[in-house]
Amino acid sequence: MEDVAGLAEFCRQLPKAELHAHLSGSVSETTIQKLQLKKGGGHDHTHQGDTAIKKGETRQLGEPFRIFKIIQELSDTEEAIYMMTEDVISEFAADGVRYLELRSTPRHVPHTGMTPNSYVEAILSAIQTCKDREDVVVRLLLAIDRRQPVETAKSTVRLAQEYMLRSHGVVVGIDLSGNPAVGDGRDFIPVLKEAQNCGLKLALHIAEVSQQATAPETAALLSLPPDRVGHGTFIHHNQDLAALVAKNKIPLELCLTSNVKAQTVPSYGEHHFQYWYNKKHPCVLCTDDKGVFCTTLSEEYSLAAETFKLSRQELWDLSYNSIDYTFVGEDQKQQLRDRWNVERQKLDLQSR
């Protein structure tokens, strides 16, 4: 059996694609302290226990949404959004992430003058700054928060349509997320279809909680079908839904630590990764909110290896295959494959 330190180093060196990363939830404690200083609150304004779920801790699913609110209060200007985006990208790059899709809900903050447009511009500006400095390709999904009105969702899709053209391919899709206990996903289907029709990709949070395994919205959203599903924690509890996902080969974004810490799965060993991986269904390991859940993508790969007894070759295959599920064109995908293959030569794939 491979020693833990050797596995951790292999996973750090492994080139990786992160396809499910919420911007606000990915902010590290270091960046939060910088944001506090910018607001004049000092280091003691918020303790890490208020903005992160540390190692060994679990919380109810509603807790991350409370944390997001705190982080959003600290990041209510374009300058703050730029800084946190820049830091998040740099941290992912340092962890061996070579392709990153961030997702974020455009925000309007009247008291600072930040608009949804200027919010997106700040993120895009940080991505551009990091383009030459960091060894990572970054793309952006604009998120629809299911707690917001459908009219707001329409505005988000229009914004994504506009920036899909203006950003030269950086804005690539739409995310549907937010508290799964609120609202009905079916309300957003016409808006999501509009996004699809204009060439935007769809990554939808579906069946995060047990009630959604039988909820009408789940089958309706899966029937679109989306280009990827976020979490899909309870899809395999419903045979018809699992068959629909399998038939359409919809890739699943699987977030081990997030699901365990938010208590939507009881333990790592009972995570639905095993169900889908054993069926050879398209899966990609992701962090979800690396700051809130105190994890890295390298740690998620290590956890998968330790929990499900994956070899180094199997970890490589998981990472390499994730390129197929990225929201870029075939030319860019081939460039990523070439990049992966260059880095493969530096890796020892034989050790266990």
Side-chain angles (χ1 to χ4, degrees), residues 19 228-229 249-254 272-286 301 317-323 325:
L19 304 186
R228 292 195 313 256
V229 165
K249 294 184 170 60
I250 305 172
L252 296 171
E253 305 157 354
L254 301 179
H272 48 295
F273 172 89
Q274 180 116 60
Y275 174 89
W276 294 105
Y277 184 76
N278 288 348
K279 290 183 174 296
K280 302 188 184 331
H281 187 83
C283 296
V284 56
L285 293 171
C286 306
Y301 273 81
D317 291 341
L318 260 178
S319 177
Y320 188 77
N321 291 339
S322 69
I323 296 170
Y325 321 137

Side-chain angles (χ1 to χ4, degrees), residues 23-24 27 31 35 71 75 80-88:
L23 177 59
S24 293
V27 176
T31 303
L35 290 170
I71 296 170
S75 57
I81 297 303
Y82 176 92
M83 182 175 73
M84 62 191 254
T85 304
E86 189 178 19
D87 284 0
V88 164

Side-chain angles (χ1 to χ4, degrees), residues 44-345:
D44 295 326
H45 178 67
T46 305
H47 298 288
Q48 187 175 13
D50 294 325
T51 56
I53 303 173
K54 293 180 281 190
K55 305 290 182 187
E57 294 182 349
T58 58
R59 307 277 182 90
Q60 294 296 318
L61 182 59
E63 180 67 4
F65 295 101
R66 185 194 67 80
I67 294 173
F68 298 152
K69 189 170 185 293
I70 294 172
I71 296 170
Q72 287 173 357
E73 288 170 357
L74 290 170
S75 57
D76 56 4
T77 66
E78 293 89 346
E79 181 185 11
I81 297 303
Y82 176 92
M83 182 175 73
M84 62 191 254
T85 304
E86 189 178 19
D87 284 0
V88 164
I89 292 171
S90 296
E91 290 160 0
F92 272 117
D95 187 45
V97 173
R98 297 293 170 251
Y99 176 86
L100 169 63
E101 286 179 12
L102 291 172
R103 54 184 73 185
S104 193
T105 305
R107 290 164 52 202
H108 181 212
V109 185
H111 71 272
T112 67
M114 185 164 69
T115 66
N117 281 76
S118 67
Y119 180 91
V120 174
E121 289 281 359
I123 295 174
L124 291 174
S125 181
I127 291 173
Q128 183 61 37
T129 296
C130 292
K131 186 175 180 181
D132 297 324
R133 191 185 72 204
E134 302 292 351
D135 191 9
V136 58
V137 175
V138 184
R139 295 293 182 264
L140 178 64
L141 283 68
L142 300 191
I144 293 171
D145 187 332
R146 56 186 291 143
R147 295 169 293 185
Q148 294 178 331
V150 172
E151 282 306 313
T152 304
K154 288 179 180 177
S155 298
T156 299
V157 168
R158 284 195 292 269
L159 204 58
Q161 290 172 341
E162 175 187 345
Y163 279 101
M164 182 173 61
L165 301 173
R166 286 178 52 185
S167 68
H168 304 291
V170 175
V171 174
V172 292
I174 290 289
D175 163 52
L176 175 66
S177 52
N179 192 332
V182 177
D184 188 328
R186 289 176 295 179
D187 295 342
F188 300 99
I189 285 178
V191 184
L192 296 171
K193 285 183 175 177
E194 179 187 338
Q196 280 184 317
N197 290 339
C198 75
L200 289 161
K201 300 290 189 179
L202 297 183
L204 310 182
H205 287 58
I206 296 178
E208 281 187 83
V209 293
S210 58
Q211 306 92 290
Q212 291 179 322
T214 54
E217 75 161 47
T218 303
L221 290 170
L222 288 173
S223 296
L224 279 166
D227 298 282
R228 292 195 313 256
V229 165
H231 301 294
T233 314
F234 293 91
I235 286 174
H236 67 298
H237 291 213
N238 182 313
Q239 190 174 350
D240 292 337
L241 296 178
L244 185 57
V245 169
K247 175 187 173 185
N248 289 319
K249 294 184 170 60
I250 305 172
L252 296 171
E253 305 157 354
L254 301 179
C255 312
L256 305 179
T257 296
S258 166
N259 296 157
V260 170
K261 287 193 173 186
Q263 298 183 341
T264 55
V265 300
S267 68
Y268 290 106
E270 295 170 87
H271 196 276
H272 48 295
F273 172 89
Q274 180 116 60
Y275 174 89
W276 294 105
Y277 184 76
N278 288 348
K279 290 183 174 296
K280 302 188 184 331
H281 187 83
C283 296
V284 56
L285 293 171
C286 306
T287 56
D288 194 11
D289 301 288
K290 73 172 183 63
V292 170
F293 295 115
C294 292
T295 189
T296 65
L297 192 53
S298 294
E299 289 179 48
E300 297 302 296
Y301 273 81
S302 292
L303 276 168
E306 293 168 358
T307 305
F308 305 109
K309 305 297 183 275
L310 303 182
S311 68
R312 288 187 174 197
Q313 182 61 55
E314 287 169 325
L315 291 176
W316 166 267
D317 291 341
L318 260 178
S319 177
Y320 188 77
N321 291 339
S322 69
I323 296 170
D324 291 339
Y325 321 137
T326 60
F327 288 167
V328 293
E330 189 52 44
D331 287 349
Q332 179 73 66
K333 285 180 181 176
Q334 189 54 52
Q335 290 177 29
L336 293 172
R337 293 185 192 105
D338 292 343
R339 174 61 197 276
W340 257 242
N341 285 323
V342 167
E343 298 208 20
R344 177 189 174 101
Q345 298 169 23

